[in-house]
Amino acid sequence: MQRDLTFAIRHYLASHPTMPVLVPVTARAVRKADGTFAVFESGYSPDEPETEIRCSIDQIFQWLREWSSTIKFACVNGGKA
């Protein structure tokens, strides 16, 4: 059984949409089992689900280049780190 593969993780602070505070956010670049790519971003609070942003390989490459200083590379089977 083939599973998702997380190959890059980014941790950063983002402005909360309704409050004037910065919250920690985690974004994961994932190669999905069907061969497509996506970035999964955590919610602004622990009970919010991740948001999936479907991407092309070119968009993933740009994401890796744009945020290279905040990305930690880790290949993890199953899509979670």
Side-chain angles (χ1 to χ4, degrees), residues 12-40:
Y12 61 99
L13 295 174
S15 298
H16 193 280
T18 60
M19 295 184 289
V21 296
L22 293 176
V23 293
V25 176
T26 300
R28 303 181 298 115
V30 175
R31 181 185 180 276
K32 299 177 73 170
D34 63 4
T36 60
F37 292 89
V39 172
F40 288 87

Side-chain angles (χ1 to χ4, degrees), residues 26-80:
T26 300
R28 303 181 298 115
V30 175
R31 181 185 180 276
K32 299 177 73 170
D34 63 4
T36 60
F37 292 89
V39 172
F40 288 87
E41 290 187 345
S42 64
Y44 290 101
S45 65
D47 57 333
E48 285 185 46
E50 287 184 317
T51 302
E52 178 181 353
I53 304 163
R54 293 181 183 260
C55 301
S56 68
I57 187 69
D58 293 331
Q59 291 169 317
I60 289 291
F61 182 72
Q62 184 63 32
W63 184 84
L64 291 169
R65 287 184 59 189
E66 185 174 347
W67 304 111
S68 62
S69 63
T70 60
I71 291 175
K72 172 182 132 185
F73 285 89
C75 290
V76 181
N77 277 325
K80 292 277 185 180

